[in-house]
């Protein structure tokens, strides 16, 4: 390409100043009436032209091809029905159309689902594709998609037409189930409201609406079935029966002809928590350890504590009138008959039979445990005597029997082999290095009641490895027996103290059935699609975990021992959804991803979300069900879509291979011409 360019020898400011000065001189000559003023003007123009340095530029240009970008949506929603076949056929047809055009290339960019269930990031894929190509060569962009994108606000500024080739069919329809409101936490045994909805989308066949079946399954149990209306919000009361994570799955069967059943189920995970933990603490004669129990239970803001200390037993007769006593009567009937089921835990701290609690009341406590309650006995010397509560109906549920011997000597409690695995005691000695005697480096206790194990698990031992702490399950409830009343020495820091607070806290929470302290449990947690599986057991080994995925496929995952009684494994799940885990007689359920995948929230193809971006470039939206449109070249600014065709804009981009610059006239010729004009003006004015 040839052209004339100017490359001034001085700055443009100076050149403009010289032009203004020359104009002033010419104006002065004209004002004075000099006949050679026009010759002077021509001389000034020649000098200014010389300073402008006009040159002849010759460019050697190499034409560049135009580029058309085809962005192919291969997200999950594009794999339903026959859309994958539509995509493959359309890509081949577009490639053939572009191959038939001169000086035009096709760039095919494919993308799948966004990370972390972010949906279809169509515009982000287009922006990344444009960043890889020179903007001056971009002749058009084509999006092959179902139109269900989740980043339309990221649409880039296009210098060429944007077109959408829409997959799917006009007769497509789909049914989905969605949970519109679900709490993350709920109080156990209190109803909480969930809001869900079953709705139909697209070209719904006649007679399909009305009622649909809804199945509800809690923690993988057998589902309950209900008939519910379609297209209406449903308020569903749900009552959680246990603490920890509760997994609730809602499912509606696949209807004939709908696009997919992937959105026919929703999973909700609700963490069950207790409103308040009600604890009844009954103390015998006051002793230094009594305040330890009280401080422990009062320090937990979620615990409501009712504490009674027997300060005035029936046998104490000193003649003081009842009206002058500041003590209150022990409300035995109210506590142990009328309201006993309102308590989550009953603690007997050095309590002995004094006739205050009749055998009928103690037998009611035994029944309370069998119905699911919990009793903790912190035994003192009285437990070994004739007035021991073991010699009452409570003896039927005690995990250990007293031998009547009381050891009044110092000893260090230690964990049994079973106690190193049990969640109540495992790891208690981790922060207390072993001493020279091979025992944990915590302080001694100074009294132990000798016990004979009857049932349950001995998790701590004392003198001569005799049982110190025994745990047991009775019916639906739990019982713990601590064979010493000197745990308080640890809280006082005696001989360095010990993990008294942690031991008693775990013990109380195990008895109140907190799930994280169950000795036999299968637990799964997830981060993204990586699942961490934990098997807690008192056994010596654990088998492989059967993991059943959303599609019914079963995978065996081997466990490895991480600590005594704790076996772990990590499993990368292939897809989001509900997984069921089983190992032995233990089961667990976990949901990966959201309650319903984002890709399947809307499955019926639609170009409505892309219309603003397409209209801004005068492009078009065409359904490939009607056939792949022809591709034409159109001039910039003209409509780029019509019936059966879409257009691209030729860019006529080029690459400059070489540039040659030659001055139009030599500098000495400019000077000679200016001198001649100046002399001519002088001669003309001289003759006059």
């Amino acid at each position: 390409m040839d052209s004339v360019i100017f490359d001034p020898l001085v700055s443009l400011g100076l050149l403009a100043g010289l032009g203004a000065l020359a104009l002033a001189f010419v104006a002065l000559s004209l004002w004075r009436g000099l006949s050679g003023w026009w010759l002077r003007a021509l001389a000034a123009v020649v000098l200014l032209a010389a300073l402008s340095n006009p040159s002849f530029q010759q460019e050697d240009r190499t034409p560049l091809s135009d580029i058309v970008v085809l962005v192919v949506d291969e997200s999950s929603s594009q794999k339903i029905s026959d859309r994958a076949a539509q995509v493959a056929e359309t890509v081949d047809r577009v490639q053939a159309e572009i191959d038939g055009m001169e000086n035009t290339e096709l760039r095919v960019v494919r993308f799948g689902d966004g990370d972390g269930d972010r949906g279809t990031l169509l515009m982000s894929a287009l922006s990344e594709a444009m960043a890889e190509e020179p903007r001056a060569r971009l002749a058009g962009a084509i999006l092959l998609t179902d139109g269900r994108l989740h980043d339309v606000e990221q649409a880039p500024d296009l210098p060429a037409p944007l077109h959408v080739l829409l997959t799917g069919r006009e007769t497509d329809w789909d049914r989905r189930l969605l949970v519109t409101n679900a709490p993350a936490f709920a109080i156990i045994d209190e109803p909480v409201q969930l809001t869900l909805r079953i709705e139909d989308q697209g070209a719904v066949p006649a007679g399909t609406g009305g009622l649909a079946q809804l199945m509800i399954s809690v923690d993988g149990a057998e589902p309950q079935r209900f008939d519910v209306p379609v297209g209406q919000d449903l308020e569903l009361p749900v009552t959680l029966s246990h603490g920890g994570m509760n997994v609730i799955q809602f499912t509606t069967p696949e209807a004939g002809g709908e696009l997919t059943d992937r959105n026919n189920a929703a999973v909700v995970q609700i963490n069950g928590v207790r409103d308040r933990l009600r604890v009844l603490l009954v103390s015998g004669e006051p002793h230094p350890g009594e305040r330890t129990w009280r401080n422990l239970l009062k320090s937990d803001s979620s615990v409501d504590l009712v504490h009674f200390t027997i300060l005035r037993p029936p046998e104490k007769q000193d003649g003081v009138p009842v009206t002058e006593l500041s003590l209150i009567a022990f409300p035995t009937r109210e506590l142990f008959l009328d309201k006993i089921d309102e308590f989550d835990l009953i603690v007997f701290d050095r309590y002995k039979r004094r006739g205050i609690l009749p055998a009928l009341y103690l037998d009611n406590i035994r029944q309370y445990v069998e119905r699911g309650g919990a009793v903790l006995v912190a035994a003192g010397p009285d437990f070994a005597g004739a007035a021991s509560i073991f010699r009452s109906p409570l003896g039927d549920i005690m995990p250990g029997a007293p031998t009547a011997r009381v050891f009044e000597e110092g000893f260090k409690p230690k964990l049994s082999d079973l106690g190193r695995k049990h969640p109540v005691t495992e790891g208690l000695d981790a922060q207390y290095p072993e001493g020279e005697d091979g025992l944990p480096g915590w302080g001694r206790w100074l009294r132990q009641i000798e016990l004979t194990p009857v049932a349950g698990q001995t998790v701590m031992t004392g003198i001569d490895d005799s049982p110190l702490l025994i745990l047991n399950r009775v019916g639906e409830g739990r019982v713990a027996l601590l064979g010493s009343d000197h745990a308080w020495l640890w809280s006082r820091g005696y001989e360095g103290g010990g993990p008294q607070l942690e031991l008693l806290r775990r013990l109380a929470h195990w008895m109140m059935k907190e799930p994280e302290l169950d000795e036999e449990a299968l637990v799964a947690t997830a981060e993204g699609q990586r699942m961490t599986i934990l098997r807690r057991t008192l056994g010596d080994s654990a088998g492989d975990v059967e993991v059943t995925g959303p599609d019914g496929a079963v995978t065996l995952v081997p466990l490895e021992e991480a600590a005594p009684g704790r076996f772990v494994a990590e499993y990368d799940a292939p897809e989001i959804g509900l997984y069921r885990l089983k190992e032995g007689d233990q089961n667990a359920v976990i949901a990966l991803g959201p309650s319903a995948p984002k890709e399947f929230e809307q499955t019926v193809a639609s170009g409505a979300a892309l219309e603003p971006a397409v209209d801004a470039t005068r492009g078009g939206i065409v359904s490939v069900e009607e056939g792949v449109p022809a591709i034409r070249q159109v001039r910039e600014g003209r409509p780029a879509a019509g019936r059966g065709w879409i257009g691209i804009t030729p860019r006529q981009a080029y690459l400059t291979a070489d540039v040659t610059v030659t001055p139009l006239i030599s500098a000495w010729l400019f000077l000679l011409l200016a001198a001649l004009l100046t002399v001519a003006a002088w001669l003309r004015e001289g003759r006059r």
Side-chain angles (χ1 to χ4, degrees), residues 36-50:
W37 67 269
W38 57 277
L39 292 172
R40 295 176 185 273
L42 289 175
V45 170
V46 170
L47 288 175
L48 291 174

Side-chain angles (χ1 to χ4, degrees), residues 5-16 48-55:
I5 63 172
F6 292 89
D7 185 16
L9 300 177
V10 295
S11 66
L12 291 177
L14 179 59
L15 188 63
L48 291 174
L51 291 175
S52 299
N53 190 25
S55 301

Side-chain angles (χ1 to χ4, degrees), residues 86 164-170 621-629:
Q86 287 183 318
V164 175
L165 300 183
L166 208 61
T167 58
R169 301 191 180 278
E170 187 177 355
I621 300 176
V622 181
S623 173
V624 298
E625 181 184 13
E626 303 170 359
V628 180

Side-chain angles (χ1 to χ4, degrees), residues 96 117 127 156 183 214 256 296 331 392 478 586 659:
D117 194 47
S127 298
L214 175 66
L296 165 69
S392 73
R478 303 185 182 188
Q586 296 296 315
V659 177

Side-chain angles (χ1 to χ4, degrees), residues 174-177 258 260-265 600-601 603:
D174 193 29
R175 171 170 291 173
R176 70 165 179 165
L177 186 153
E258 68 169 314
T260 178
D261 63 350
R262 287 293 303 274
N263 53 7
N264 288 28
F600 296 97
E601 289 180 355
T603 56

